[in-house]
Amino acid sequence: MDKEDIVLDSSGATLFRAVESAPFKDGLLPYFLRANDYVPDVKDFAAAFCIGIKGYANPQDNAVKERLIDFAYTLARQLKERCRTDLIAACMFKIWGKNIDGIDSDTDRSAVLRIFAGKRSLFSHYFGLYAVRTCGTPITVYCPCEEGNYVEYSDQNNVLTVPIDKYDIPSGFFLPGFDYRFGDRWLRRAVRDGVNERFNPELSEYRNPIWMA
């Protein structure tokens, strides 16, 4: 991979930064490696990369979007091949009940592009990865508006309701630039708790927050 392929935009955002970001490295990837039935696809990778480098801040920059999607396809193909050929990985995924063929590395590109049609579709897909339908606690997420990088609270198009397991929130859920409500309370802080995130921490844990309103 040469420098031209690594650099994504004029701000210095790179593919390495996308991979190192909390939405992918600390959120999506570890969640995939847990003993559950979740298997990511190209759409999930591309969305996590875009959120990780705040690629949604300049939606008109199509070159960034295209490079992120290309990289998501490459990563999905290589991950699928590695899981098939590495004996240890194959055994572990079998124990965890993972269907490696479920890693869709041939997703129709038009389906991926639909996620990037606007901020609403991108945020809906990304936060949908955290949704727990059976025992979820509804968290209201206020997202940056379509026409700017600020939250417009009166516009319901920028509001999502995400049912989460509040005791098991993978990293990457609490993001700078977003606001969150739990019932009638605005959330003010979140901290890292092992491999997860937790909101409303004890006073003694305020020293190392991962997100603050």
Side-chain angles (χ1 to χ4, degrees), residues 38-51:
Y38 171 66
V39 178
D41 61 17
V42 173
K43 298 190 295 293
D44 298 348
F45 289 146
F49 292 152
C50 188
I51 295 292

Side-chain angles (χ1 to χ4, degrees), residues 8-9 13 17 47 49-61 64-65 68 116 119 122 149:
L8 289 171
D9 61 26
R17 192 171 125 202
F49 292 152
C50 188
I51 295 292
I53 64 167
K54 297 185 178 179
Y56 54 84
N58 298 294
Q60 72 281 0
D61 195 338
V64 173
K65 173 177 64 180
L68 286 173
F116 290 87
K119 290 181 182 179
L122 173 64
N149 296 312

Side-chain angles (χ1 to χ4, degrees), residues 143-200:
C143 308
C145 60
E146 195 71 42
E147 301 302 325
N149 296 312
Y150 55 89
V151 176
E152 181 57 69
Y153 298 97
S154 62
D155 188 348
Q156 290 301 304
N157 289 324
N158 306 320
V159 181
L160 299 172
T161 299
V162 185
I164 64 171
D165 182 348
K166 66 179 182 178
Y167 301 108
D168 186 19
I169 309 174
S171 294
F173 183 78
F174 290 99
L175 300 168
F178 294 72
D179 279 335
Y180 302 82
R181 281 178 70 96
F182 173 48
D184 60 353
R185 291 180 296 164
W186 286 100
L187 301 186
R188 298 300 180 190
R189 296 176 177 85
V191 297
R192 178 70 59 82
D193 185 8
V195 296
N196 293 331
E197 294 178 351
R198 181 161 53 88
F199 60 85
N200 293 347

Side-chain angles (χ1 to χ4, degrees), residues 9-67:
D9 61 26
S10 58
S11 73
T14 66
L15 291 177
F16 287 151
R17 192 171 125 202
V19 172
E20 286 289 318
S21 67
F24 180 77
K25 180 183 176 183
D26 301 324
L28 187 150
L29 193 59
Y31 189 56
F32 169 51
L33 297 177
R34 295 185 187 186
N36 55 37
D37 59 1
Y38 171 66
V39 178
D41 61 17
V42 173
K43 298 190 295 293
D44 298 348
F45 289 146
F49 292 152
C50 188
I51 295 292
I53 64 167
K54 297 185 178 179
Y56 54 84
N58 298 294
Q60 72 281 0
D61 195 338
N62 290 323
V64 173
K65 173 177 64 180
E66 295 291 346
R67 288 187 179 185

Side-chain angles (χ1 to χ4, degrees), residues 63-78:
V64 173
K65 173 177 64 180
E66 295 291 346
R67 288 187 179 185
L68 286 173
I69 293 174
D70 287 344
F71 187 55
Y73 275 105
T74 298
L75 183 61
R77 285 193 297 268
Q78 293 186 358

